[in-house]
Amino acid sequence: MLKRLSLSILAILCLVIAAQAQKTDTLSITLENVKYGYPVKYFPIAVEGQDVRMAYMDVAPTQMANGRTVMLFHGKNFGGYYWTEVIKALTSRGFRVIVPDQIGFGKSSKPFIHYSFHQMAAWNKALLDTLGIQKASVLGHSMGGMLATRFALMYPGQTEKLLLENPIGLEDYRLFVPYVNTDQQYSTELKATAESIKKYYQSSYFTVWKPEYEELVRIAAGVTNSADFPRWAKVAAMTYTMIYEQPVVHEFINVRVPTVLFIGKQDKTIVGKGLLSPDQQVLYGQYRFLGKQTAAKIPGAKIIEFDGCGHIPHVEIPTEFVVALLGSL
């Protein structure tokens, strides 16, 4: 009997060790154990009675400084970690580059607050002011494109150029995506797994899957094993509500700064896509049309389109994207 008990204990221990091994990629929800390409600093913010901090990289030019600054705004499912090659290209051409992780994302705090593009834009303006930067070109990818547009609308005097890389919000999702409240979206976010995240990235972000994209999945999926994952999921739901309820599409006509759109034509991103039937999905998120339609709305805007490219040109076709970006600055 003693032998049988020992074997049972051994079996349990093996299961525990195996479970721990499967979770070796567990990440904190503020990504402390994710190494960014450049040193990270923190900007303190007081909001709704809470003291929070916004992570950011401030990278100096590596070649002859040209006195100009570019600010990079990440997408909803990302942080500053996926901008490394873009930062390298810009700093090598003399630009200073500021790369914030927005509050609620990346290495920044994850508070329970009312999330607002207006508030985020104000925080980024305050960061620039603190750093002594009077004017910057703002490049926003995906959700960052919505934020960059709001920033340009609020602070045209501080926006040298507005650069939009496959921004979401080129449609008003409220018109065709069924409404779900934040609690309902929270339940959806809690169901995220490494497998579901990879499947989403494969089907939504890239035209052809490559091994180097696994790192993006590892970071996004690593937080699902964190003890604080419910907080991460709640904030993700809150920012989903922000995107759904705070469109910028109706205000493109009011943009008064030089604007360039960089559009991967194979992109079919729709916020809330899972709430639509397959027949409905084909009617929306068609960036090969949306890019041109948006450029036509913004006075004087230019558009650069990439064939055979999806939602993240700076990752999928980095050389082509950087050439286009530098040529537009």
Side-chain angles (χ1 to χ4, degrees), residues 1-9:
M1 180 164 177
L2 187 59
K3 183 178 180 182
R4 208 177 299 130
L5 184 61
S6 298
L7 288 172
S8 298
I9 293 172

Side-chain angles (χ1 to χ4, degrees), residues 109-231:
S109 301
K110 307 292 184 300
F112 294 156
I113 57 172
H114 172 67
Y115 282 90
S116 157
F117 285 123
H118 289 79
Q119 180 66 84
M120 285 184 176
W123 286 331
N124 285 281
K125 168 65 163 53
L127 174 61
L128 290 179
D129 290 344
T130 299
L131 297 174
I133 299 170
Q134 296 181 349
K135 203 164 191 174
S137 292
V138 182
L139 169 59
H141 168 249
S142 195
M143 181 199 77
M146 292 184 75
L147 175 56
T149 302
R150 180 59 60 199
F151 185 95
L153 288 165
M154 291 174 65
Y155 308 109
Q158 285 72 46
T159 308
E160 183 178 349
K161 289 188 176 183
L162 173 62
L163 309 164
L164 302 175
E165 179 192 357
N166 282 74
I168 59 169
L170 302 185
E171 303 163 287
D172 188 340
Y173 303 118
R174 300 173 303 174
L175 301 180
F176 57 90
V177 175
Y179 173 73
V180 296
N181 64 35
T182 303
D183 281 344
Q184 290 170 317
Q185 184 61 27
Y186 173 51
S187 297
T188 298
E189 299 287 353
L190 282 173
K191 297 173 185 174
T193 63
E195 292 75 20
S196 68
I197 290 170
K198 182 173 181 177
K199 183 178 179 181
Y200 180 77
Y201 279 32
Q202 288 176 320
S203 63
S204 299
Y205 287 161
F206 302 101
T207 56
V208 177
W209 188 256
K210 297 177 182 177
E212 53 262 38
Y213 305 154
E214 295 286 351
E215 178 64 7
L216 297 176
V217 174
R218 186 189 74 81
I219 295 172
V223 298
T224 64
N225 292 321
S226 167
D228 291 326
F229 176 61
R231 171 174 284 273

